[in-house]
Amino acid sequence: MSEEYRYRRVLLKLSGEALAGDVGYGIDPKVVDDLADQIADIVRDGVQLAIVVGGGNIFRGLSASAKGMDRAQADYIGMLATVMNALALQDAFERHGIFSRVQSAITMQEVSEPYIRRRAIRHLEKGRVVILAAGTGNPYFTTDTTAALRACELDADCLMKATKVDGVYDSDPTKNPDAKRFDRISYMDVLSKGLNVMDSTATSLCMDNHLPMIVFDLTVKGNISRALKGENVGTTVE
């Protein structure tokens, strides 16, 4: 692996909304293509990469349950949305010459492998990107919690959370122009200040297992590579 990378094995958390681009719904092929382009570079440099993808661009379980739908049922529909996103990512990766495998927490043998920890690690060691779909397979657990759980299970050096803002702020930067960005912050501060980085289950899971997280802006091309090299991109939570 290239010496310039600080992290050898990473888990990238992608929100479903990130894949929708400016359209706001569904999958924007240009966004997925740009992402595959960035990922091809780091994988060829020897970084082992697993990806957990959300489904909010297609269906949001939480907002559906707020409108009266059964929460567990809504969450299962959301999990199926993440499988659609995973297959779209796999297609883009393979067009860019990246070998990848989709592993789903809900068994769908026609389109994916089941999630098996040792098999996922073997794929990573062989230089394949592992795309983890269907969350944890359980309702009431977000894809953020899935990302924290899988990062710990797969022994990742770092969890990267891709967002549309360039890090963690003390208040919402879209509403408050004076919001202050943190370069580094502790998990305890994130929880005590109620900063909306991840849900509290995911945050405490990372904290308990001493897993560092980088929150960065995915819309800036090359940010994934820069963050992995330890450049000051976004906020490091530790």
Side-chain angles (χ1 to χ4, degrees):
M1 189 180 109
S2 171
E3 286 299 309
E4 56 194 329
Y5 288 98
R6 180 179 288 185
Y7 303 103
R8 182 183 61 89
R9 178 180 294 165
V10 294
L11 189 136
L12 174 65
K13 165 61 173 61
L14 283 176
S15 68
E17 289 87 344
L19 302 183
D22 296 330
V23 186
Y25 180 81
I27 299 162
D28 182 341
K30 188 186 178 306
V31 171
V32 178
D33 244 31
D34 285 349
L35 183 64
D37 218 21
Q38 289 190 61
I39 284 170
D41 291 341
I42 63 166
V43 171
R44 287 188 192 114
D45 284 343
V47 174
Q48 297 177 13
L49 181 71
I51 296 175
V52 167
V53 65
N57 54 324
I58 297 167
F59 187 88
R60 287 202 78 83
L62 208 56
S63 52
S65 73
K67 291 172 186 162
M69 190 182 242
D70 177 72
R71 170 71 195 266
Q73 193 78 327
D75 280 354
Y76 280 121
I77 298 170
M79 288 177 219
L80 299 181
T82 71
V83 178
M84 293 187 205
N85 284 337
L87 294 176
L89 282 174
Q90 185 180 38
D91 174 71
F93 291 166
E94 293 189 340
R95 278 186 284 110
H96 282 77
I98 311 165
F99 293 107
S100 63
R101 296 288 184 273
V102 174
Q103 290 200 346
S104 169
I106 294 177
T107 313
M108 290 192 200
Q109 57 192 20
E110 284 76 15
V111 295
S112 66
E113 298 178 359
Y115 170 69
I116 298 169
R117 176 180 168 265
R118 284 176 180 268
R119 187 187 279 183
I121 290 171
R122 189 78 188 107
H123 287 320
L124 293 172
E125 289 169 349
K126 285 189 168 184
R128 299 171 189 141
V129 175
V130 180
I131 307 162
L132 301 159
T136 62
N138 304 96
Y140 295 94
F141 288 91
T142 64
T143 48
D144 278 351
T145 301
T146 306
L149 173 66
R150 298 290 187 243
C152 295
E153 281 185 285
L154 300 175
D155 204 17
D157 302 321
C158 161
L159 169 59
M160 297 182 72
K161 183 166 163 68
T163 63
K164 290 179 177 177
V165 287
D166 62 342
V168 180
Y169 285 79
D170 58 0
S171 60
D172 189 342
T174 56
K175 293 173 187 164
N176 176 14
D178 300 322
K180 175 177 159 287
R181 184 173 78 88
F182 300 100
D183 283 338
R184 304 186 93 78
I185 190 170
S186 72
Y187 280 115
M188 198 50 95
D189 281 346
V190 167
L191 287 169
S192 63
K193 291 178 173 153
L195 301 173
N196 231 347
V197 182
M198 284 178 142
D199 61 272
S200 56
T201 313
T203 305
S204 45
L205 193 57
C206 290
M207 180 171 73
D208 294 346
N209 292 283
H210 310 293
L211 176 73
M213 172 167 62
I214 301 170
V215 182
F216 71 102
D217 184 354
L218 183 68
T219 60
V220 178
K221 203 169 169 69
N223 259 359
I224 298 177
S225 169
R226 281 195 286 273
L228 289 176
K229 288 172 182 171
E231 289 181 33
N232 189 12
V233 174
T235 301
T236 305
V237 190
E238 55 200 350

